[in-house]
PDB file of all heavy atoms in Angstrom:
ATOM      1  N   PHE K 262     -36.959 -98.593 -78.489  1.00 95.00           N
ATOM      2  CA  PHE K 262     -37.826 -99.731 -78.796  1.00 95.00           C
ATOM      3  C   PHE K 262     -37.634-100.212 -80.232  1.00 95.00           C
ATOM      4  O   PHE K 262     -37.665-101.413 -80.507  1.00 95.00           O
ATOM      5  CB  PHE K 262     -39.298 -99.382 -78.544  1.00 95.00           C
ATOM      6  CG  PHE K 262     -40.202-100.556 -78.806  1.00 95.00           C
ATOM      7  CD1 PHE K 262     -40.227-101.639 -77.933  1.00 95.00           C
ATOM      8  CD2 PHE K 262     -41.009-100.593 -79.942  1.00 95.00           C
ATOM      9  CE1 PHE K 262     -41.042-102.732 -78.182  1.00 95.00           C
ATOM     10  CE2 PHE K 262     -41.823-101.689 -80.202  1.00 95.00           C
ATOM     11  CZ  PHE K 262     -41.845-102.766 -79.314  1.00 95.00           C
ATOM     12  N   ALA K 263     -37.416 -99.243 -81.134  1.00 95.00           N
ATOM     13  CA  ALA K 263     -37.169 -99.628 -82.535  1.00 95.00           C
ATOM     14  C   ALA K 263     -35.928-100.507 -82.631  1.00 95.00           C
ATOM     15  O   ALA K 263     -35.897-101.488 -83.387  1.00 95.00           O
ATOM     16  CB  ALA K 263     -37.013 -98.388 -83.409  1.00 95.00           C
ATOM     17  N   LEU K 264     -34.903-100.175 -81.868  1.00 96.00           N
ATOM     18  CA  LEU K 264     -33.687-100.999 -81.887  1.00 96.00           C
ATOM     19  C   LEU K 264     -33.927-102.346 -81.210  1.00 96.00           C
ATOM     20  O   LEU K 264     -33.439-103.381 -81.655  1.00 96.00           O
ATOM     21  CB  LEU K 264     -32.530-100.274 -81.206  1.00 96.00           C
ATOM     22  CG  LEU K 264     -32.085 -98.953 -81.860  1.00 96.00           C
ATOM     23  CD1 LEU K 264     -30.800 -98.465 -81.200  1.00 96.00           C
ATOM     24  CD2 LEU K 264     -31.867 -99.112 -83.359  1.00 96.00           C
ATOM     25  N   ALA K 265     -34.691-102.344 -80.108  1.00 96.00           N
ATOM     26  CA  ALA K 265     -34.953-103.606 -79.391  1.00 96.00           C
ATOM     27  C   ALA K 265     -35.697-104.586 -80.296  1.00 96.00           C
ATOM     28  O   ALA K 265     -35.475-105.790 -80.243  1.00 96.00           O
ATOM     29  CB  ALA K 265     -35.765-103.342 -78.131  1.00 96.00           C
ATOM     30  N   LEU K 266     -36.556-104.070 -81.153  1.00 95.00           N
ATOM     31  CA  LEU K 266     -37.352-104.950 -82.009  1.00 95.00           C
ATOM     32  C   LEU K 266     -36.734-105.147 -83.391  1.00 95.00           C
ATOM     33  O   LEU K 266     -36.924-106.188 -84.025  1.00 95.00           O
ATOM     34  CB  LEU K 266     -38.763-104.381 -82.166  1.00 95.00           C
ATOM     35  CG  LEU K 266     -39.843-105.461 -82.253  1.00 95.00           C
ATOM     36  CD1 LEU K 266     -39.960-106.206 -80.939  1.00 95.00           C
ATOM     37  CD2 LEU K 266     -41.170-104.854 -82.661  1.00 95.00           C
ATOM     38  N   GLY K 267     -35.995-104.120 -83.859  1.00 93.00           N
ATOM     39  CA  GLY K 267     -35.497-104.184 -85.229  1.00 93.00           C
ATOM     40  C   GLY K 267     -33.988-104.287 -85.343  1.00 93.00           C
ATOM     41  O   GLY K 267     -33.467-104.555 -86.425  1.00 93.00           O
ATOM     42  N   GLY K 268     -33.284-104.074 -84.238  1.00 91.00           N
ATOM     43  CA  GLY K 268     -31.816-104.118 -84.280  1.00 91.00           C
ATOM     44  C   GLY K 268     -31.337-105.550 -84.384  1.00 91.00           C
ATOM     45  O   GLY K 268     -31.949-106.471 -83.840  1.00 91.00           O
ATOM     46  N   GLY K 269     -30.249-105.785 -85.088  1.00 90.00           N
ATOM     47  CA  GLY K 269     -29.741-107.135 -85.248  1.00 90.00           C
ATOM     48  C   GLY K 269     -28.476-107.370 -84.457  1.00 90.00           C
ATOM     49  O   GLY K 269     -27.991-106.508 -83.731  1.00 90.00           O
ATOM     50  N   GLU K 270     -27.926-108.570 -84.621  1.00 93.00           N
ATOM     51  CA  GLU K 270     -26.627-108.947 -84.061  1.00 93.00           C
ATOM     52  C   GLU K 270     -26.575-108.932 -82.535  1.00 93.00           C
ATOM     53  O   GLU K 270     -25.512-108.732 -81.956  1.00 93.00           O
ATOM     54  CB  GLU K 270     -25.511-108.063 -84.645  1.00 93.00           C
ATOM     55  CG  GLU K 270     -25.431-108.204 -86.161  1.00 93.00           C
ATOM     56  CD  GLU K 270     -24.200-107.550 -86.769  1.00 93.00           C
ATOM     57  OE1 GLU K 270     -23.305-107.132 -86.014  1.00 93.00           O
ATOM     58  OE2 GLU K 270     -24.162-107.465 -88.003  1.00 93.00           O
ATOM     59  N   ASP K 271     -27.740-109.140 -81.902  1.00 95.00           N
ATOM     60  CA  ASP K 271     -27.701-109.279 -80.439  1.00 95.00           C
ATOM     61  C   ASP K 271     -27.339-110.704 -80.040  1.00 95.00           C
ATOM     62  O   ASP K 271     -26.811-110.931 -78.961  1.00 95.00           O
ATOM     63  CB  ASP K 271     -29.067-108.921 -79.842  1.00 95.00           C
ATOM     64  CG  ASP K 271     -29.322-107.431 -79.889  1.00 95.00           C
ATOM     65  OD1 ASP K 271     -28.558-106.696 -79.249  1.00 95.00           O
ATOM     66  OD2 ASP K 271     -30.266-107.004 -80.579  1.00 95.00           O
ATOM     67  N   TYR K 272     -27.666-111.645 -80.915  1.00 97.00           N
ATOM     68  CA  TYR K 272     -27.405-113.059 -80.645  1.00 97.00           C
ATOM     69  C   TYR K 272     -28.067-113.557 -79.361  1.00 97.00           C
ATOM     70  O   TYR K 272     -27.571-114.451 -78.693  1.00 97.00           O
ATOM     71  CB  TYR K 272     -25.898-113.363 -80.684  1.00 97.00           C
ATOM     72  CG  TYR K 272     -25.333-112.983 -82.032  1.00 97.00           C
ATOM     73  CD1 TYR K 272     -24.471-111.897 -82.176  1.00 97.00           C
ATOM     74  CD2 TYR K 272     -25.728-113.662 -83.174  1.00 97.00           C
ATOM     75  CE1 TYR K 272     -23.997-111.517 -83.432  1.00 97.00           C
ATOM     76  CE2 TYR K 272     -25.269-113.283 -84.426  1.00 97.00           C
ATOM     77  CZ  TYR K 272     -24.417-112.218 -84.542  1.00 97.00           C
ATOM     78  OH  TYR K 272     -23.960-111.844 -85.772  1.00 97.00           O
ATOM     79  N   GLU K 273     -29.217-112.925 -79.040  1.00 98.00           N
ATOM     80  CA  GLU K 273     -30.072-113.502 -78.001  1.00 98.00           C
ATOM     81  C   GLU K 273     -30.854-114.652 -78.619  1.00 98.00           C
ATOM     82  O   GLU K 273     -30.872-114.816 -79.844  1.00 98.00           O
ATOM     83  CB  GLU K 273     -31.044-112.431 -77.463  1.00 98.00           C
ATOM     84  CG  GLU K 273     -30.373-111.273 -76.741  1.00 98.00           C
ATOM     85  CD  GLU K 273     -29.711-111.675 -75.430  1.00 98.00           C
ATOM     86  OE1 GLU K 273     -29.844-112.847 -75.008  1.00 98.00           O
ATOM     87  OE2 GLU K 273     -29.017-110.814 -74.846  1.00 98.00           O
ATOM     88  N   LEU K 274     -31.486-115.444 -77.777  1.00 98.00           N
ATOM     89  CA  LEU K 274     -32.317-116.537 -78.272  1.00 98.00           C
ATOM     90  C   LEU K 274     -33.785-116.164 -78.175  1.00 98.00           C
ATOM     91  O   LEU K 274     -34.236-115.621 -77.154  1.00 98.00           O
ATOM     92  CB  LEU K 274     -32.060-117.820 -77.471  1.00 98.00           C
ATOM     93  CG  LEU K 274     -30.653-118.392 -77.611  1.00 98.00           C
ATOM     94  CD1 LEU K 274     -30.479-119.595 -76.686  1.00 98.00           C
ATOM     95  CD2 LEU K 274     -30.340-118.772 -79.056  1.00 98.00           C
ATOM     96  N   LEU K 275     -34.525-116.415 -79.239  1.00 98.00           N
ATOM     97  CA  LEU K 275     -35.962-116.209 -79.282  1.00 98.00           C
ATOM     98  C   LEU K 275     -36.557-117.603 -79.454  1.00 98.00           C
ATOM     99  O   LEU K 275     -36.193-118.306 -80.397  1.00 98.00           O
ATOM    100  CB  LEU K 275     -36.289-115.317 -80.480  1.00 98.00           C
ATOM    101  CG  LEU K 275     -37.735-114.885 -80.679  1.00 98.00           C
ATOM    102  CD1 LEU K 275     -38.169-113.902 -79.587  1.00 98.00           C
ATOM    103  CD2 LEU K 275     -37.907-114.237 -82.058  1.00 98.00           C
ATOM    104  N   PHE K 276     -37.424-117.996 -78.517  1.00 98.00           N
ATOM    105  CA  PHE K 276     -37.916-119.365 -78.609  1.00 98.00           C
ATOM    106  C   PHE K 276     -39.347-119.482 -78.098  1.00 98.00           C
ATOM    107  O   PHE K 276     -39.830-118.624 -77.359  1.00 98.00           O
ATOM    108  CB  PHE K 276     -36.992-120.343 -77.860  1.00 98.00           C
ATOM    109  CG  PHE K 276     -36.754-120.039 -76.406  1.00 98.00           C
ATOM    110  CD1 PHE K 276     -37.430-120.736 -75.413  1.00 98.00           C
ATOM    111  CD2 PHE K 276     -35.823-119.072 -76.022  1.00 98.00           C
ATOM    112  CE1 PHE K 276     -37.194-120.479 -74.061  1.00 98.00           C
ATOM    113  CE2 PHE K 276     -35.586-118.805 -74.677  1.00 98.00           C
ATOM    114  CZ  PHE K 276     -36.269-119.495 -73.696  1.00 98.00           C
ATOM    115  N   THR K 277     -39.998-120.535 -78.539  1.00 98.00           N
ATOM    116  CA  THR K 277     -41.361-120.803 -78.059  1.00 98.00           C
ATOM    117  C   THR K 277     -41.345-122.109 -77.283  1.00 98.00           C
ATOM    118  O   THR K 277     -40.548-123.009 -77.567  1.00 98.00           O
ATOM    119  CB  THR K 277     -42.384-120.904 -79.215  1.00 98.00           C
ATOM    120  OG1 THR K 277     -42.240-122.168 -79.869  1.00 98.00           O
ATOM    121  CG2 THR K 277     -42.192-119.768 -80.221  1.00 98.00           C
ATOM    122  N   ALA K 278     -42.231-122.178 -76.293  1.00 98.00           N
ATOM    123  CA  ALA K 278     -42.256-123.351 -75.412  1.00 98.00           C
ATOM    124  C   ALA K 278     -43.654-123.513 -74.826  1.00 98.00           C
ATOM    125  O   ALA K 278     -44.376-122.521 -74.641  1.00 98.00           O
ATOM    126  CB  ALA K 278     -41.227-123.178 -74.299  1.00 98.00           C
ATOM    127  N   PRO K 279     -44.037-124.746 -74.528  1.00 98.00           N
ATOM    128  CA  PRO K 279     -45.341-124.975 -73.905  1.00 98.00           C
ATOM    129  C   PRO K 279     -45.454-124.224 -72.570  1.00 98.00           C
ATOM    130  O   PRO K 279     -44.456-124.102 -71.840  1.00 98.00           O
ATOM    131  CB  PRO K 279     -45.369-126.490 -73.663  1.00 98.00           C
ATOM    132  CG  PRO K 279     -44.348-127.059 -74.607  1.00 98.00           C
ATOM    133  CD  PRO K 279     -43.300-126.007 -74.746  1.00 98.00           C
ATOM    134  N   LYS K 280     -46.650-123.753 -72.276  1.00 98.00           N
ATOM    135  CA  LYS K 280     -46.879-122.986 -71.032  1.00 98.00           C
ATOM    136  C   LYS K 280     -46.477-123.778 -69.783  1.00 98.00           C
ATOM    137  O   LYS K 280     -46.012-123.205 -68.802  1.00 98.00           O
ATOM    138  CB  LYS K 280     -48.354-122.605 -70.938  1.00 98.00           C
ATOM    139  CG  LYS K 280     -48.753-121.486 -71.886  1.00 98.00           C
ATOM    140  CD  LYS K 280     -50.109-120.908 -71.511  1.00 98.00           C
ATOM    141  CE  LYS K 280     -50.392-119.635 -72.292  1.00 98.00           C
ATOM    142  NZ  LYS K 280     -50.016-119.681 -73.718  1.00 98.00           N
ATOM    143  N   GLU K 281     -46.666-125.094 -69.830  1.00 98.00           N
ATOM    144  CA  GLU K 281     -46.359-125.901 -68.634  1.00 98.00           C
ATOM    145  C   GLU K 281     -44.861-125.942 -68.321  1.00 98.00           C
ATOM    146  O   GLU K 281     -44.468-126.386 -67.243  1.00 98.00           O
ATOM    147  CB  GLU K 281     -46.918-127.326 -68.768  1.00 98.00           C
ATOM    148  CG  GLU K 281     -46.401-128.121 -69.945  1.00 98.00           C
ATOM    149  CD  GLU K 281     -47.349-128.064 -71.142  1.00 98.00           C
ATOM    150  OE1 GLU K 281     -48.025-127.013 -71.329  1.00 98.00           O
ATOM    151  OE2 GLU K 281     -47.413-129.057 -71.896  1.00 98.00           O
ATOM    152  N   ASN K 282     -44.032-125.452 -69.252  1.00 98.00           N
ATOM    153  CA  ASN K 282     -42.582-125.463 -69.000  1.00 98.00           C
ATOM    154  C   ASN K 282     -42.068-124.177 -68.351  1.00 98.00           C
ATOM    155  O   ASN K 282     -40.871-124.024 -68.134  1.00 98.00           O
ATOM    156  CB  ASN K 282     -41.826-125.688 -70.312  1.00 98.00           C
ATOM    157  CG  ASN K 282     -42.037-127.086 -70.871  1.00 98.00           C
ATOM    158  OD1 ASN K 282     -42.624-127.938 -70.207  1.00 98.00           O
ATOM    159  ND2 ASN K 282     -41.572-127.322 -72.091  1.00 98.00           N
ATOM    160  N   ARG K 283     -42.993-123.231 -68.051  1.00 98.00           N
ATOM    161  CA  ARG K 283     -42.559-121.920 -67.550  1.00 98.00           C
ATOM    162  C   ARG K 283     -41.582-121.988 -66.378  1.00 98.00           C
ATOM    163  O   ARG K 283     -40.540-121.353 -66.386  1.00 98.00           O
ATOM    164  CB  ARG K 283     -43.783-121.099 -67.109  1.00 98.00           C
ATOM    165  CG  ARG K 283     -44.417-120.386 -68.267  1.00 98.00           C
ATOM    166  CD  ARG K 283     -45.486-119.409 -67.784  1.00 98.00           C
ATOM    167  NE  ARG K 283     -46.275-119.001 -68.953  1.00 98.00           N
ATOM    168  CZ  ARG K 283     -47.351-118.225 -68.894  1.00 98.00           C
ATOM    169  NH1 ARG K 283     -47.771-117.776 -67.716  1.00 98.00           N
ATOM    170  NH2 ARG K 283     -47.998-117.900 -69.990  1.00 98.00           N
ATOM    171  N   ALA K 284     -41.964-122.757 -65.366  1.00 98.00           N
ATOM    172  CA  ALA K 284     -41.130-122.778 -64.154  1.00 98.00           C
ATOM    173  C   ALA K 284     -39.752-123.365 -64.466  1.00 98.00           C
ATOM    174  O   ALA K 284     -38.715-122.833 -64.025  1.00 98.00           O
ATOM    175  CB  ALA K 284     -41.824-123.609 -63.069  1.00 98.00           C
ATOM    176  N   LYS K 285     -39.731-124.422 -65.262  1.00 98.00           N
ATOM    177  CA  LYS K 285     -38.443-125.046 -65.597  1.00 98.00           C
ATOM    178  C   LYS K 285     -37.574-124.132 -66.449  1.00 98.00           C
ATOM    179  O   LYS K 285     -36.341-124.123 -66.321  1.00 98.00           O
ATOM    180  CB  LYS K 285     -38.687-126.368 -66.354  1.00 98.00           C
ATOM    181  CG  LYS K 285     -39.157-127.499 -65.450  1.00 98.00           C
ATOM    182  CD  LYS K 285     -39.287-128.798 -66.233  1.00 98.00           C
ATOM    183  CE  LYS K 285     -39.689-129.952 -65.319  1.00 98.00           C
ATOM    184  NZ  LYS K 285     -39.928-131.184 -66.074  1.00 98.00           N
ATOM    185  N   ILE K 286     -38.203-123.361 -67.339  1.00 98.00           N
ATOM    186  CA  ILE K 286     -37.438-122.429 -68.188  1.00 98.00           C
ATOM    187  C   ILE K 286     -36.833-121.321 -67.327  1.00 98.00           C
ATOM    188  O   ILE K 286     -35.658-120.967 -67.477  1.00 98.00           O
ATOM    189  CB  ILE K 286     -38.350-121.868 -69.308  1.00 98.00           C
ATOM    190  CG1 ILE K 286     -38.625-122.970 -70.344  1.00 98.00           C
ATOM    191  CG2 ILE K 286     -37.709-120.646 -69.974  1.00 98.00           C
ATOM    192  CD1 ILE K 286     -39.698-122.631 -71.368  1.00 98.00           C
ATOM    193  N   LYS K 287     -37.635-120.806 -66.384  1.00 98.00           N
ATOM    194  CA  LYS K 287     -37.097-119.769 -65.475  1.00 98.00           C
ATOM    195  C   LYS K 287     -35.929-120.322 -64.658  1.00 98.00           C
ATOM    196  O   LYS K 287     -34.919-119.656 -64.464  1.00 98.00           O
ATOM    197  CB  LYS K 287     -38.203-119.246 -64.555  1.00 98.00           C
ATOM    198  CG  LYS K 287     -39.167-118.300 -65.282  1.00 98.00           C
ATOM    199  CD  LYS K 287     -40.251-117.790 -64.342  1.00 98.00           C
ATOM    200  CE  LYS K 287     -41.253-116.925 -65.121  1.00 98.00           C
ATOM    201  NZ  LYS K 287     -42.482-116.653 -64.345  1.00 98.00           N
ATOM    202  N   LYS K 288     -36.085-121.544 -64.219  1.00 98.00           N
ATOM    203  CA  LYS K 288     -35.033-122.190 -63.424  1.00 98.00           C
ATOM    204  C   LYS K 288     -33.760-122.373 -64.284  1.00 98.00           C
ATOM    205  O   LYS K 288     -32.646-122.120 -63.806  1.00 98.00           O
ATOM    206  CB  LYS K 288     -35.548-123.566 -62.953  1.00 98.00           C
ATOM    207  CG  LYS K 288     -34.662-124.274 -61.954  1.00 98.00           C
ATOM    208  CD  LYS K 288     -34.773-123.653 -60.571  1.00 98.00           C
ATOM    209  CE  LYS K 288     -33.698-124.188 -59.627  1.00 98.00           C
ATOM    210  NZ  LYS K 288     -33.535-123.292 -58.452  1.00 98.00           N
ATOM    211  N   THR K 289     -33.942-122.782 -65.534  1.00 98.00           N
ATOM    212  CA  THR K 289     -32.789-122.959 -66.437  1.00 98.00           C
ATOM    213  C   THR K 289     -32.102-121.614 -66.670  1.00 98.00           C
ATOM    214  O   THR K 289     -30.867-121.530 -66.717  1.00 98.00           O
ATOM    215  CB  THR K 289     -33.237-123.568 -67.779  1.00 98.00           C
ATOM    216  OG1 THR K 289     -33.950-124.779 -67.515  1.00 98.00           O
ATOM    217  CG2 THR K 289     -32.051-123.876 -68.675  1.00 98.00           C
ATOM    218  N   GLY K 290     -32.901-120.548 -66.805  1.00 98.00           N
ATOM    219  CA  GLY K 290     -32.331-119.204 -66.931  1.00 98.00           C
ATOM    220  C   GLY K 290     -31.498-118.846 -65.703  1.00 98.00           C
ATOM    221  O   GLY K 290     -30.354-118.385 -65.820  1.00 98.00           O
ATOM    222  N   GLU K 291     -32.048-119.104 -64.526  1.00 98.00           N
ATOM    223  CA  GLU K 291     -31.311-118.813 -63.280  1.00 98.00           C
ATOM    224  C   GLU K 291     -30.023-119.628 -63.202  1.00 98.00           C
ATOM    225  O   GLU K 291     -28.955-119.107 -62.888  1.00 98.00           O
ATOM    226  CB  GLU K 291     -32.181-119.144 -62.056  1.00 98.00           C
ATOM    227  CG  GLU K 291     -33.197-118.064 -61.720  1.00 98.00           C
ATOM    228  CD  GLU K 291     -34.230-118.562 -60.707  1.00 98.00           C
ATOM    229  OE1 GLU K 291     -33.908-119.467 -59.902  1.00 98.00           O
ATOM    230  OE2 GLU K 291     -35.380-118.052 -60.752  1.00 98.00           O
TER     231      GLU K 291
END
Side-chain angles (χ1 to χ4, degrees):
Chain K
F262 182 72
L264 298 189
L266 215 67
E270 300 190 9
D271 287 298
Y272 302 110
E273 295 293 355
L274 295 175
L275 184 69
F276 56 101
T277 76
K280 286 195 170 42
E281 59 263 32
N282 292 352
R283 276 189 194 175
K285 285 184 177 175
I286 288 170
K287 285 180 184 167
K288 189 75 191 162
T289 305
E291 280 168 27

